[in-house]
């Protein structure tokens, strides 16, 4: 069949001629009784909630730690600020200074 | 180069409160690893639950050996005690690092005892005919329990590393915290596996 229209007609014909149901869940046909259906439902809820809870927990923990660090932070006094035109902070990394052009 | 120098200069000017580290890298990295591993075990436990619930001839299937529920309780107790001892080690470490040696050593020994006892149990189960291919029951048993066993071995390796650093006076609190997260995951997961697989 050539052309888009022909392909669409063929696809529609195949779908209409198909006698079986299209299941949203590819493995739920296995749920033969109540116990299996409950297992499918429970594990779906479990696997959906698990990453949300864990990632949410870590984010909440980090947020609290950041808030605590904000509260504990003390603004440095102006006397300790470097004078204008001088290096603002000593380089404690031991890295060589990056040369600038000009 | 000029742009890099500018960025470096700006980062030096940035207030310390903005550049602070809210969590140690090792701890955060271990948390991310444990989250990934939790999802991995969550998937395995879910698959096991569905196959178990859908088993028409009962679980374990007829003709398959029963798992040693009572004997494994001893292993469970050993692993839980190991977790408690690591907690004690951390509490002692905060006050006097050298005094954390004994509880940490005992924690490692109990973890090793768990692995050895599990190995003995596996040999007995194999002799009774429970293999990866004997049934879905056997396949899930070796997959779930075996994967956990590998994690215990990994946790033990990290514990030994931390203990070696402790002996040399090089262990720091954040390193111990990262090790603790892994070990508590391994210990905390086991009762869930015991409940789902053995009971």
């Amino acid at each position: 069949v050539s052309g888009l229209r022909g392909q669409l007609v063929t696809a529609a014909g195949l779908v209409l001629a198909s006698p079986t149901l299209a299941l949203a869940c590819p493995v739920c046909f296995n749920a033969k009784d109540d116990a299996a259906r409950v297992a499918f439902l429970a594990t779906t809820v479990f696997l959906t909630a698990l990453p949300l809870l864990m990632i949410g927990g870590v984010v909440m923990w980090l947020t609290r730690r950041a808030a605590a660090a904000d509260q504990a932070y003390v603004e440095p006094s102006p006397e300790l600020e470097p004078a204008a035109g001088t290096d603002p902070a000593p380089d404690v990394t031991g890295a060589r200074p990056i040369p600038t052009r000009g | 180069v000029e742009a890099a120098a500018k960025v470096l200069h700006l980062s030096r000017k940035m207030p310390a409160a903005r550049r602070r580290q809210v969590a140690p890298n090792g701890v955060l990295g271990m948390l991310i690893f444990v989250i990934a591993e939790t999802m991995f075990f969550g998937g395995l436990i879910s698959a096991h639950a569905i196959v178990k619930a859908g088993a028409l001839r009962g679980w374990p299937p007829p003709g398959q050996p029963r798992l040693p529920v009572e004997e494994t309780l001893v292993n469970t107790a050993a692993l839980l005690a190991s977790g408690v001892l690591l907690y004690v080690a951390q509490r002692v470490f905060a006050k006097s690092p050298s005094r954390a040696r004994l509880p940490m050593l005992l924690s490692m020994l109990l973890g090793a005892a768990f692995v050895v006892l599990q190995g003995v149990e596996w040999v007995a189960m194999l002799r009774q005919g429970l293999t990866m291919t004997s049934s879905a029951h056997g396949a899930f048993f070796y997959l779930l329990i075996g994967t956990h066993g590998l994690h215990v071995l990994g946790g033990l390796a990290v514990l030994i590393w931390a203990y070696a650093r402790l002996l040399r006076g090089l262990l720091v609190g954040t390193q111990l915290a990262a090790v603790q997260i892994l070990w508590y995951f391994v210990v905390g997961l086991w009762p869930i596996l015991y409940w789902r697989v053995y009971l």
Side-chain angles (χ1 to χ4, degrees):
Chain A
V1 182
S2 61
L4 182 65
R5 190 173 174 180
Q7 288 174 3
L8 283 172
V9 168
T10 307
L14 284 172
V15 169
L16 290 172
S18 177
T20 52
L21 290 171
L23 293 169
C25 169
V27 290
C28 291
F29 63 87
N30 200 30
K32 296 182 182 73
D33 53 10
D34 276 348
R37 269 189 288 274
V38 168
F40 272 111
L41 190 66
T43 53
T44 303
V45 172
F46 172 63
L47 286 175
T48 305
L50 195 59
L52 297 175
L53 288 172
M54 287 190 299
I55 295 170
V58 170
V59 169
M60 192 184 289
W61 177 67
L62 287 173
T63 309
R64 286 187 176 178
R65 282 183 71 95
D70 277 344
Q71 281 190 339
Y73 176 69
V74 181
E75 199 72 33
S77 65
E79 294 88 55
L80 296 175
E81 286 285 309
T86 59
D87 192 6
D91 188 1
V92 293
T93 60
R96 292 169 62 191
I98 298 171
T100 51
R101 285 186 206 153
Chain B
V1 173
E2 202 169 332
K6 201 176 277 183
V7 167
L8 187 68
H9 186 66
L10 282 174
S11 72
R12 283 185 181 177
K13 274 191 149 178
M14 198 183 285
R18 282 191 173 187
R19 291 189 282 115
R20 72 197 178 279
Q21 187 182 29
V22 292
N25 291 342
V27 170
L28 196 58
M30 189 59 83
L31 275 175
I32 292 168
F33 174 72
V34 164
I35 286 174
E37 293 301 291
T38 305
M39 286 311 299
F40 172 67
F41 276 101
L44 288 179
I45 290 168
S46 297
H48 175 260
I50 285 168
V51 171
K52 188 178 176 180
L56 298 175
R57 295 191 301 155
W59 193 270
Q64 286 293 295
R66 297 293 178 268
L67 299 177
V69 177
E70 292 82 14
E71 290 89 332
T72 310
L73 261 181
V74 178
N75 305 2
T76 305
L79 195 62
L80 291 176
S82 166
V84 172
L85 279 165
L86 190 62
Y87 175 74
V88 171
Q90 184 264 323
R91 294 292 296 240
V92 174
F93 180 84
K95 294 170 189 167
S96 170
S98 61
R99 284 179 57 207
R101 287 176 186 175
L102 183 63
M104 207 162 160
L105 180 66
L106 289 174
S107 178
M108 282 192 303
L109 289 176
L110 282 170
F114 173 83
V115 174
V116 170
L117 290 170
Q118 286 291 98
V120 171
E121 182 187 290
W122 276 37
V123 170
M125 297 312 296
L126 285 168
R127 281 184 183 154
Q128 288 179 37
L130 188 74
T131 64
M132 280 288 279
T133 52
S134 64
S135 64
H137 177 236
F140 269 114
F141 172 75
Y142 289 111
L143 183 64
L144 271 167
I145 306 304
T147 311
H148 178 264
L150 283 177
H151 280 73
V152 175
L153 284 174
L156 270 176
V158 175
L159 269 175
I160 290 168
W161 170 81
Y163 185 70
R165 286 187 70 86
L166 178 68
L167 289 181
R168 285 183 287 154
L170 298 173
L171 187 69
V172 294
T174 52
Q175 290 170 339
L176 182 59
V179 172
Q180 275 182 292
I181 291 169
L182 178 62
W183 195 246
Y184 292 159
F185 164 69
V186 164
V187 172
L189 177 66
W190 177 250
I192 299 168
L193 290 179
Y194 180 72
W195 166 51
R196 294 305 306 167
V197 176
Y198 286 81
L199 302 180

